[in-house]
Amino acid sequence: MAELTDKVAIVTGGASGIGAATARVLAREGAAVVVADINGAAAEAVAKEIAAAGGRATAVTVDVVEEEQIATMIATAVREFGGLDILHNNAALQTPASMSRDRAIIDMDAEHWDQIFRVNLRGYMLGAKHAIPAMLERGGGVVLNTASGTGVLGEPSRPAYGTSKAAVIGFTRNIAAQYGKQGVRSVALALGLVKTPALEAGLPPEVQEMMLTHHLTPRLADPEDIAEVVSFLASDRAYFITGCTIPVDGGFTAHTPSWADARRFHDAAMQA
Ligand SMILES: NC(=O)c1ccc[n+]([C@@H]2O[C@H](COP(=O)([O-])OP(=O)(O)OC[C@H]3O[C@@H](n4cnc5c(N)ncnc54)[C@H](O)[C@@H]3O)[C@@H](O)[C@H]2O)c1
């Protein structure tokens, strides 16, 4: 049974990858969805696809760092669908060009650092700032923030990206602490590796294989695996989950750092 009937949702970064899958699943569950992205044409295509499948969706072109555009995005949800219940802050700067500049800390271009934080953190803050008043009009809502395992653990590269995701986790707790009593929940999702089209095209197969070695599941995630969790967290069934970070990572952050090597020794011993 559809469990988000009568709910209104916004998904930022909704034009591709995890955001597009989430927009589709929320619509399948009965929500009216605003597909918001800096890539307006691709957002429009996702919204049209949802509508063609019988769902309710509209697209908004938004650069999440621009406050006026965020305000317009929220106003669109209220005007088109009557209010707002769910914000999935999901847009992030992780193009190959951006990632290639996110390397050694001693060589870090401060402008690049600021740009990552503008999209990944300021963008989430502006989304929450303008969404929460609309949610309070309806007696509450939920702000879901896409974080990452890189916000919990260190990596040899991507220090700006990982630190911005750690900040997202802190921001999530603050939303819950400030607005929980007024019915607004907030949850961060710390993702493992998700095989989006962009990632499949950009990440060499040997790196994908290496990453799979460190997940506890037989395969890496598809965007739909994440979307299903977002849909649950957005629903009233998740009423008592707030102010926390849910690992949706195939066990990537669950094991000892030596786990993959230890498993090889274990398998060899079992075969001897
Ligand atoms: N794919 C993974 O393995 C993975 C792992 C951990 C976390 N994440 C997180 O998941 C989220 C979605 O990533 P994805 O893998 O689907 O990537 P993606 O590149 O497919 O999607 C990101 C979307 O954000 C949009 N976007 C970028 N900058 C924007 C801006 N300034 N304003 C509005 N929209 C903007 C892009 O146009 C794109 O559609 C991100 O927050 C990312 O950090 C992804």
Side-chain angles (χ1 to χ4, degrees):
M1 200 181 80
E3 61 182 9
L4 298 177
T5 304
D6 297 333
K7 304 281 191 194
V8 179
I10 297 174
V11 181
T12 72
S16 66
I18 294 160
T22 301
R24 289 187 200 103
V25 169
L26 297 181
R28 182 199 73 198
E29 291 302 317
V33 181
V34 176
V35 183
D37 204 286
I38 200 165
N39 184 343
E44 189 69 45
V46 173
K48 280 194 173 140
E49 184 198 319
I50 290 170
R56 289 182 300 155
T58 193
V60 170
T61 306
V62 63
D63 181 343
V64 294
V65 309
E66 299 295 341
E67 185 157 7
E68 275 183 22
Q69 295 183 28
I70 287 282
T72 301
M73 173 183 84
I74 305 294
T76 302
V78 173
R79 188 186 64 243
E80 299 274 324
F81 300 124
L84 180 65
D85 305 287
I86 300 158
L87 171 66
H88 184 199
N89 273 325
N90 172 74
L93 193 53
Q94 51 167 17
T95 57
S98 161
M99 288 302 172
S100 70
R101 297 177 68 195
D102 196 4
R103 300 282 192 217
I105 292 168
I106 59 171
D107 297 327
M108 181 63 66
D109 175 351
E111 294 302 318
H112 171 67
W113 178 273
D114 289 348
Q115 179 60 9
I116 293 261
F117 273 73
R118 275 173 71 77
V119 179
N120 298 8
L121 193 59
R122 173 190 161 104
Y124 282 28
M125 179 278 293
L126 290 176
K129 173 181 173 181
H130 288 271
I132 289 170
M135 291 174 179
L136 294 178
E137 293 276 317
R138 314 248 279 190
V142 56
V143 180
L144 301 172
N145 296 322
T146 306
S148 163
T150 62
V152 184
L153 300 170
E155 282 197 313
S157 63
R158 302 197 295 172
Y161 176 80
T163 309
S164 76
K165 292 300 187 181
V168 164
I169 288 169
F171 182 55
T172 302
R173 288 191 206 102
N174 279 279
I175 296 171
Q178 286 204 342
Y179 298 99
K181 286 292 184 191
Q182 291 162 272
V184 177
R185 294 186 296 111
S186 188
V187 184
L189 295 88
L191 306 185
L193 200 69
V194 184
K195 294 183 81 165
T196 61
L199 186 133
E200 293 237 63
L203 204 61
E206 60 272 24
V207 179
Q208 294 185 36
E209 193 57 36
M210 178 274 293
M211 289 298 285
L212 177 57
T213 305
H214 291 273
H215 287 65
L216 303 183
T217 45
R219 62 166 175 81
L220 295 169
D222 292 323
E224 291 71 23
D225 295 314
I226 311 306
E228 295 292 348
V229 180
V230 172
S231 178
F232 166 70
L233 290 172
S235 77
D236 294 338
R237 285 202 293 155
Y239 172 81
F240 215 45
I241 303 177
T242 192
C244 61
T245 301
I246 307 275
V248 191
D249 68 356
F252 184 60
T253 56
H255 55 74
T256 59
S258 56
W259 176 80
D261 293 329
R263 188 164 166 258
R264 275 198 295 277
F265 285 122
H266 173 80
D267 289 352
M270 293 300 278
Q271 281 167 10

